[in-house]
Amino acid sequence: MPGPPARIADVDALRGCALFGILVVNIGAFATPWFGLGLTDPAFHGGVDRATHFLVALLFETKFYLLFSFLFGYSFTLQMQAATRAGAPFVPRMLRRQAGLWLIGVLHAVILFHGDILTTYAVLGIVLLALHRCGKRPALTLAFVLVSACAAFWAAMAWLQGLQPANGGEQAVAMARQAAAALAAYRGTPASVVTQHLRELSEIWIVLLLVQAPCALAMFLCGLVAGKREMLLHAADYLPLRRRLLWAGALVGLPGAACYAWTSVYVSGQAWQVAGLAVSLATAPLLAGAYLALALAAFARLRDGMLFALLADTGRMALSNYLMQSAICAWLFLAYGARLMGSVSPPGALALAAAIFCLQLPFSRWWLRRHVYGPVEWLLRALTIAAWPRWRRAGSAYL
């Protein structure tokens, strides 16, 4: 009986790239209590700080979680194939997998990072399970409708916000109090960190429901279609599509990202900021698609090099690395360790993100030379197949 097919290295390397982009965004939420409030941290409002915010908003925010979502949908088809090879019912396997992912996400959100995406993925994965038999055209049509409806909703919210009487001073005072309370909690004790996470989770669900969830599900569906066509297994056969993605990203996605970044960083009116968000929701999938096309072109040149191998290994244990990023940031910025929240500039946070990821690259390679899966991937696979998978790699000196 033939063994399982080799992993698709491009999928793993793309996950590795997405992990870096997600870390660049998430570390901002750890570094300052002003993240997501629509106002600049008074401690870091200089030209370089704002330029760094602009760069992160332009190139990273609202893009890389979309790329990760696309890969989630693509991997869904790989899970289908794995179930077929194992002769196991697919639906029960996926239900166990999504339940395990949700439990991991809840722990992550409560203890480490209230901006967790895993619980959202777990719930949306059930929706994808219900839709996975739909045709390719209906799936892409539904994806377009989801993105369009989400962007239209926030455009309408921006218009309604513009009709409201200006009360910027009162809002600024309220936001300052909110940021100060969050800073005190996050710098307090581990118990106060957990309490603050629970408080913010009770408020952030609306953002997940009305911003991230529709666009993530849309990218799930795009990834599902791509997986059914095996686009990343035969990437060279889709050069015309990749060129179209590059043009769409350059002509529509990048200007949309610039609009979002400018209104987020340099415009104080809330209505304009919400309008910028609406533009980003409509155009970010195109820029994420351009990133995908650029990465695949780079991989074709780097495939035999060390950087590609390191990215692929890092992406193979993406779940473990995602949680590790949060654990490191929680130790650096919160009451679990150094309590650096509010004292690291945006350029400093960006440098820390790069340093953390550069450490994860060789660590992932070291781990996977000795183990078959990342530690959390091993646990999730055990839940998925309802059996204990192999832990050590055959031939390891550590057996």
Side-chain angles (χ1 to χ4, degrees), residues 13 33 49 69 93 104 110 124 187 199 207 216 226 239 354:
D49 297 322
S69 301
R93 280 171 67 114
I104 294 168
V110 173
L124 293 180
R187 282 181 167 180
R199 181 180 299 114
V207 176
L239 284 175

Side-chain angles (χ1 to χ4, degrees), residues 11-28 52 55-56 59-68 71 291 295 299 307 310-326 329 346-361 364:
V11 174
D12 292 326
L14 283 166
R15 284 200 196 97
C17 294
L19 273 172
F20 175 67
I22 289 170
L23 175 59
V24 167
V25 176
N26 287 353
I27 201 169
T52 304
L55 179 68
V56 171
L59 298 178
F60 295 92
E61 288 182 13
T62 74
K63 290 87 179 174
F64 278 88
Y65 90 92
L66 294 178
L67 178 57
F68 213 89
L71 295 171
Y291 286 171
F299 294 165
L307 178 58
L310 289 171
L311 281 172
D313 283 343
T314 303
R316 281 185 61 187
M317 45 187 291
L319 179 56
S320 295
N321 279 318
Y322 171 69
L323 296 172
M324 187 192 308
Q325 290 171 355
S326 293
C329 289
L350 185 59
L352 278 173
I356 292 168
F357 188 72
C358 285
L359 290 174
Q360 288 186 303
L361 291 171
S364 300

Side-chain angles (χ1 to χ4, degrees), residues 32-42 161 167-183 203 268 270 273:
T32 173
W34 292 85
F35 185 88
L37 296 182
L39 296 172
T40 303
D41 187 338
Q161 186 71 33
N167 57 349
E170 294 178 4
Q171 286 184 344
V173 171
M175 293 298 184
R177 289 175 179 169
Q178 183 177 338
L183 182 62
E203 301 169 353
S268 58
Q270 189 171 8
Q273 291 178 352

Side-chain angles (χ1 to χ4, degrees), residues 131-142 221 224-225 228:
L131 296 173
H132 79 280
R133 294 186 184 278
C134 73
K136 297 168 186 175
R137 186 176 295 276
L140 293 177
T141 300
L142 179 56
L221 292 165
L224 182 71
V225 171
K228 288 180 177 180

Side-chain angles (χ1 to χ4, degrees), residues 38 154-164 166 171 256-281:
W154 286 103
M157 292 297 293
W159 177 72
L160 291 174
Q161 186 71 33
L163 298 179
Q164 301 297 317
Q171 286 184 344
C259 175
Y260 166 74
W262 184 265
T263 56
S264 297
V265 177
Y266 295 109
V267 177
S268 58
Q270 189 171 8
W272 284 107
Q273 291 178 352
V274 175
L277 173 63
V279 172
S280 178
L281 291 171

Side-chain angles (χ1 to χ4, degrees), residues 244-256 283 286-287 290:
R244 290 197 294 272
L245 287 174
L246 283 172
W247 279 110
L251 297 178
V252 181
L254 193 59
T283 60
L286 298 176
L287 191 52

